[in-house]
Amino acid sequence: MKLTLSVLAAALASANAFTASPLATNVAFSRSSVVLEASKNKAKIASRTKWAEARGYGDKPAASAEAAAAGLMTGDEGLEYVRLTNANGDTSDIYLLGGVVTSYVAGGQEFIAVRPDAKMDGSKPISGGLSHCWPQFGPGEIQQHGFARNVNWTVKSMTDTTVELELAPSDYTKEMWDKEFLCTFTVSLEDDKLATKMFVENKGEESFDFQAALHSYFTVSALDNLSIAGSFKGKEFLNKMVGEGEMQTEEREEITISEEYDRVYKGVNDPVLKDTGTGKALTVSNTAGYEDTVLWNPFGEEGMGYNNFVCVESAKFDPVTVEGGATWTGDMSLSASAL
């Protein structure tokens, strides 16, 4: 499963989307229904408008910070998710399908994006949120981006502000990756940030290797209003939009997007999104495990709602080797502030 930038560049032509597996149902906590924004790709303009309004763009006000109940809930199309709330009225939603965080509302502003063409019925992985790419990132020996994002995770524990999800081997995962692993993903809604922890345990005696990433979608008022700061200047990156992939050197202090982007920045893990349209900055703090940043945007793809999101992905691109009985941790948190 070991991929380098040069190997990935050669493999790009075969990097097609995978077909998701049948999904198992999850258990039983008390359920309550909530109304979700429509996410089917019906009338593209209508769905993009609704998506943007739900995140504070357009004529409607920003996402409400009214008190919301915490707990396990069920969406309109049957998928279960956990809602976290804190004393400030901030909220976060985490779907059991894929263990994906689909919402972080802080101070009334939504910071995590779900694409307007996302399927919320379990027929495929959710297109958006903080989506897991594990145990593979991109193309390789198993399906694109691995399997963690298209299987159900189990709720191990939860409070109003924290949820702990667990992913263990199943017949489905063993067919493509027969390793003795246990993944625990913890999301904590703190007063000043949303903290996540991906904890991988090797429960066997033999070592295994993997890649890990959070394919993170973040809201943008418009791409023209966005810049991304961080330690980008002088760093080499793989520009996957040039030929079959070309290594280039970044000359800018801050990144702006005016074309289709798919770039892997090795050794950059301190991005800050600045949105002049909302007057907000979002700091992505990768304090353990995630060493690299991937920038992706399908510029011009109206059906995906390209102008209202950017992917700034926390990644461990070079494979990690975990010996028998050892562990790996990936810590990433989001904190919002005024520009």
Side-chain angles (χ1 to χ4, degrees):
M1 186 181 297
K2 295 186 177 181
L3 294 174
T4 63
L5 288 177
S6 59
V7 171
L8 178 62
L12 287 177
S14 63
N16 296 321
F18 62 84
T19 301
S21 69
L23 302 174
T25 57
N26 270 280
V27 296
F29 286 82
S30 57
R31 295 168 169 81
S32 58
S33 295
V34 295
V35 176
L36 300 179
E37 290 294 339
S39 58
K40 290 184 177 179
N41 191 17
K42 297 176 181 177
K44 291 182 179 179
I45 295 176
S47 70
R48 289 198 305 275
T49 300
K50 188 173 293 186
W51 178 91
E53 288 175 347
R55 284 155 174 78
Y57 311 130
D59 297 329
K60 292 189 177 181
S64 172
E66 293 178 0
L72 188 71
M73 303 184 178
T74 304
D76 277 356
E77 297 185 63
L79 294 183
E80 293 181 307
Y81 66 97
V82 174
R83 170 157 292 173
L84 305 179
T85 66
N86 66 16
N88 298 332
D90 302 333
T91 63
S92 180
D93 294 344
I94 306 94
Y95 273 75
L96 304 193
L97 173 60
V100 56
V101 182
T102 59
S103 175
Y104 172 43
V105 176
Q109 177 68 47
E110 176 65 83
F111 288 96
I112 293 179
V114 174
R115 283 179 8 204
D117 63 337
K119 300 295 184 182
M120 306 300 290
D121 59 3
S123 61
K124 62 182 294 185
I126 295 171
S127 298
L130 310 182
S131 181
H132 292 284
C133 298
W134 193 90
Q136 181 175 288
F137 182 48
E141 295 178 8
I142 63 175
Q143 65 187 20
Q144 173 89 348
H145 290 327
F147 52 74
R149 66 178 186 160
N150 69 300
V151 296
N152 277 337
W153 293 55
T154 300
V155 177
K156 184 177 179 182
S157 66
M158 67 178 177
T159 68
D160 284 356
T161 58
T162 301
V163 64
E164 193 175 28
L165 302 181
E166 191 172 81
L167 177 63
S170 65
D171 290 342
Y172 170 69
T173 66
K174 289 177 182 178
E175 285 181 3
M176 68 185 86
W177 203 68
D178 191 9
K179 310 296 181 183
E180 296 184 55
F181 70 89
L182 183 65
C183 292
T184 305
F185 185 57
T186 305
V187 183
S188 300
L189 182 61
E190 302 180 15
D191 288 343
D192 59 347
K193 64 183 177 182
L194 183 74
T196 73
K197 178 185 293 290
M198 177 68 159
F199 185 63
V200 179
E201 300 175 74
N202 185 341
K203 293 293 191 179
E205 296 181 356
E206 297 183 0
S207 66
F208 58 70
D209 62 88
F210 62 85
Q211 295 168 295
L214 289 173
H215 197 306
S216 305
Y217 286 70
F218 297 116
T219 57
V220 178
S221 60
L223 289 178
D224 286 346
N225 298 330
L226 173 71
S227 62
I228 306 170
S231 54
F232 291 98
K233 188 173 182 179
K235 297 294 175 62
E236 284 196 335
F237 65 93
L238 174 64
N239 188 346
K240 294 194 277 185
M241 302 307 301
V242 177
E244 294 185 351
E246 180 179 292
M247 295 303 298
Q248 299 177 348
T249 300
E250 184 57 70
E251 299 179 352
R252 296 170 294 175
E253 295 278 359
E254 296 190 359
I255 309 300
T256 56
I257 295 177
S258 57
E259 60 183 345
E260 187 172 356
Y261 258 56
D262 195 352
R263 302 183 177 192
V264 180
Y265 288 84
K266 294 290 295 296
V268 177
N269 67 349
D270 58 350
V272 180
L273 289 74
K274 301 178 179 181
D275 190 336
T276 58
T278 61
K280 300 288 187 180
L282 184 69
T283 299
V284 182
S285 299
N286 297 294
T287 55
Y290 301 117
E291 299 175 354
D292 315 307
T293 294
V294 178
L295 301 182
W296 181 77
N297 179 269
F299 193 88
E301 290 287 344
E302 294 283 351
M304 293 185 183
Y306 81 94
N307 198 40
N308 288 123
F309 78 85
V310 65
C311 287
V312 181
E313 306 169 30
S314 301
K316 180 66 177 76
F317 190 82
D318 290 334
V320 178
T321 298
V322 179
E323 300 296 333
T327 65
W328 177 88
T329 300
D331 286 337
M332 188 278 281
S333 65
L334 305 174
S335 54
S337 60
L339 288 178

